[in-house]
Amino acid sequence: MHLEDLAEQAAQYRNEEAHIEREVRVCVAASCQSSGSLPVLEALKSACDSRGAGSCKVKGVGCMGLCSAGPLVAVADKDCDLNESVLYRDVTPDDAPDIMAGVCGAPVERLRCPTDQPFFSRQHRIVLEHSGLIDPESLRGYIAVGGYAALIRALTEMTPADVLREVTTSGLRGRGGGGYPTGLKWSTIAKMPPGQKYVVCNADEGDPGAFMDRAVLESDPHRVLEGMAIAAYAVGASKGYVYVRAEYPLAVERLETAIRKARRAGFLGAKVADTQFAFEVEIRLGAGAFVCGEETALMASIEGLRGQPRPRPPYPAESGLWGCPTLINNVETFANIAPIIREGGDWFASIGTEGSKGTKVFALAGKIKNTGLIEVPMGTSLRDIIEVIGGGIPDGRAFKAVQTGGPSGGCIPEAHLDIPVDYDSLKTLGTIMGSGGMIVMDETSCMVDVARFFMEFCMSESCGKCIPCRAGTWQMHALLDTLTKGRGTRADLALLEDLCEVVRATSLCGLGQTAPNPVLSTLRYFRDEYEAKLLPDA
Amino acid sequence: MPLPTPQPNVRVVTLRIDDRDLSAREDETLIEVCRENRIPIPSLCHLDGLSVWGGCRLCMVEIAGQGRLVAACSTRVAEGMEVRTDTERLRHYRRTIVELLFAERNHVCSVCVSNGHCELQTLAQRCGVDHVRLPYRQVPYPVDSSHEMFRLDHNRCILCTRCVRVCDEIEGAHTWDVMNRGSDCRVITDLARPWGESETCTSCGKCVQVCPTGALVKQGTSAGEMVKDQHFLPILARRRHAR
Ligand SMILES: Cc1cc2nc3c(=O)[nH]c(=O)nc-3n(C[C@H](O)[C@H](O)[C@H](O)COP(=O)(O)O)c2cc1C
Ligand code: SF4
Ligand code: SF4
Ligand code: SF4
Ligand code: FES
């Protein structure tokens, strides 16, 4: 298949829909579904049919970001994006007639959610460019917005080395937490001797408060498959796995549909797009163990073994699945690939900061007005994200801290809110970007409690293989429990700090090595809260 | 004149461990080189002849120029490496790890059949653990006496998985495995059925011999009696791998 054929398919599809002028888009991602968007979709569809209006189409789309206001419905001229649409919030099926009446007439004011607010206008959507616009179950819908053109371009006009060069130029760093340069990782695997190689997409997403990867899979699954196929071509792999947690049934279902349709259309399979390149993708379900997001544990799990990490080196790039070179990247990392091939690595590198290029998707959660998903350029300040885009703290309360990076990250106090969000700046504050979860806390949160919560998570998620993590997190949790109850002594605090150091330095994998971070960072900025809870010295 | 027989292509590297210049084959791990040269490295999960596990973290060493510590059992030697095996920091970490083990289950040596013949006990003495700073976890675990020859006491188990590996890799029975997560981990036989009902166990006793503590013992032994013999392991392992 050539690019012209693909363009023709896209044109044909657009032609079939030429009579459609306005679209009514209903979010059918997990968040809005849980607040009842499916009945809304049905009601709108029948309201549309009964009006017999041929120029309007009601369709289910992916996440629009402002999950706290769901179910969300957007009414827009075809080809117009979210910012240009009339957005309705908290929609119920009873609102359907009014909404349909407003499609061509005056918008329904009582339901409106302004799209000129910073939450929408300050975003820069690359990964989420199709999210909330296209039907995630429609391959043709994806092709109509330019989908799979990057893959065909890579296969027909570029050598694997060209692809590697673009990805390296882009400066893209892994979005799964570590921030390892993606181009460098890809070239390492490409340089391994030819033979069986694998590409793995890490969609385990075990961090509490994170749902970026879920949203991408539910909203634009072909995007991820396209990124994986381009990666496979670049590194010389012929087989891919997507490791998704079983708690994401909707993401799994949409991914399955996408794989089936992509295979039938020839974007996956023996001769991808009529070239000599072959690439098969399979889904593997994870049973919801946080440690299975760690790459060596994830691979053990795919192989059917107990999901436990093993010492590295050897790294997966050298010896991964069944001993073969294996490329493992995060969902969001793969979702960045098609636009990089489409627009070029230099374009991507012009967005973001010196050391962190592009955009990052964050999941805003906790005590913040607008909870949901945002995508902003790297380097946006935390204050902008929380106060402007996130709308600040509700109920007139004061901001206290924001936790970034999930259980491996740390808490940042008010004094540092003006820091630009990028991999390296966050590290200087003793936290990390992680996969992009952001939990905002107001003045009512007790930071010792927060530390205990994360330690409880690490304790129960420890795989149990190595002693410092297995027994150390248990002891640290017990100490934090004593402290929060006001029964701790100065000696307990000293012991806690000592254990932080031992567990960090000696644990086998990232889980144990980073488990002390929430404790260390709350001690760093909120030590007085720990001290205030101590028993008086004997 | 006969041509010299070609040597397998393994190079030799030189490295420095605790200020001693040593040479090693490039495919050797640090723990192997240390053992050859009688440099003591504490370990509980590693055994010559079994696959590398890397779970006890007692063998951690410092390498010059690297911020992170590495486990000697899972780290290959490299040319010019400078290694420290016995610094103040390492001694403190090892001591803490042993304390964590003691506090995790019930290790009351005075009533243990392995008293005096236990690797954990010996190691604790070597690491200077004269008391435990951490509170004991105090969870009573069951004892499985259903096997006619052997006994399993979970309260003494440190989850080193030597039994799992020897049974799988040397005996070929794969009777043992680990279930649960975190501190709730337990070794199990078959699908968590009593050992005595196991359909895979050949009663060879290898697991009992390699167990470093009093967790796996012979039936009928009383306090202080259970002596273990592991010299069979490297010999069997070499024969297996030669095949
Ligand atoms: C305990 C633990 C959990 C992890 N969970 C995830 C996860 O859920 N998703 C993910 O993409 N990466 C996760 N990672 C990071 C991965 O191991 C790996 O670095 C990443 O998938 C590489 O992809 P990237 O280069 O695209 O970031 C986790 C790491 C650790 C140590
Ligand atoms: S650090 Fe924790 S999760 Fe990682 S191997 Fe050790 S016990 Fe398992
Ligand atoms: S006695 Fe032998 S076969 Fe039985 S569990 Fe132990 S090692 Fe395995
Ligand atoms: S029973 Fe013995 S050999 Fe097996 S894991 Fe426990 S301590 Fe190790
Ligand atoms: S001997 Fe190296 S970790 Fe146990």
Side-chain angles (χ1 to χ4, degrees), chain A residues 69-188:
Chain A
L72 290 170
V73 175
V75 178
D77 286 347
K78 197 165 65 175
D79 300 330
C80 283
D81 69 13
L82 192 56
N83 296 4
E84 302 160 76
S85 63
V86 176
L87 188 65
Y88 296 121
R89 55 179 299 163
D90 302 306
V91 180
T92 64
D94 298 338
D95 299 321
D98 289 352
I99 291 178
M100 288 318 295
V103 165
C104 301
V108 191
E109 284 308 326
R110 73 187 149 87
L111 298 172
R112 270 194 86 169
C113 175
T115 51
D116 55 1
Q117 56 175 314
F119 182 86
F120 296 102
S121 59
R122 292 288 299 274
Q123 293 198 38
H124 185 142
R125 289 165 164 251
I126 295 175
V127 169
L128 301 175
E129 61 183 347
H130 302 143
S131 183
L133 299 181
I134 66 168
D135 175 355
E137 295 188 353
S138 164
L139 170 62
R140 301 180 72 201
Y142 182 66
I143 291 174
V145 292
Y148 287 114
L151 173 63
I152 294 188
R153 225 177 102 211
L155 294 180
T156 55
E157 295 174 6
M158 298 166 83
T159 63
D162 293 334
V163 177
L164 289 176
R165 206 170 309 119
E166 286 309 324
V167 175
T168 308
T169 309
S170 75
L172 175 65
R173 294 170 66 173
R175 301 297 195 234
Y180 191 79
T182 306
L184 189 58
K185 197 187 264 186
W186 288 25
S187 355
T188 314

Side-chain angles (χ1 to χ4, degrees), chain A residues 306 462 466 470 498 501 506, chain B residues 57 92-93 104 133 180 182:
Chain A
R306 186 175 155 89
S462 164
C466 73
R470 182 182 77 221
D498 185 26
E501 165 69 11
T506 61
Chain B
R57 315 310 284 165
H92 174 66
Y93 290 169
E104 187 175 40
R133 291 171 295 161
N180 289 345

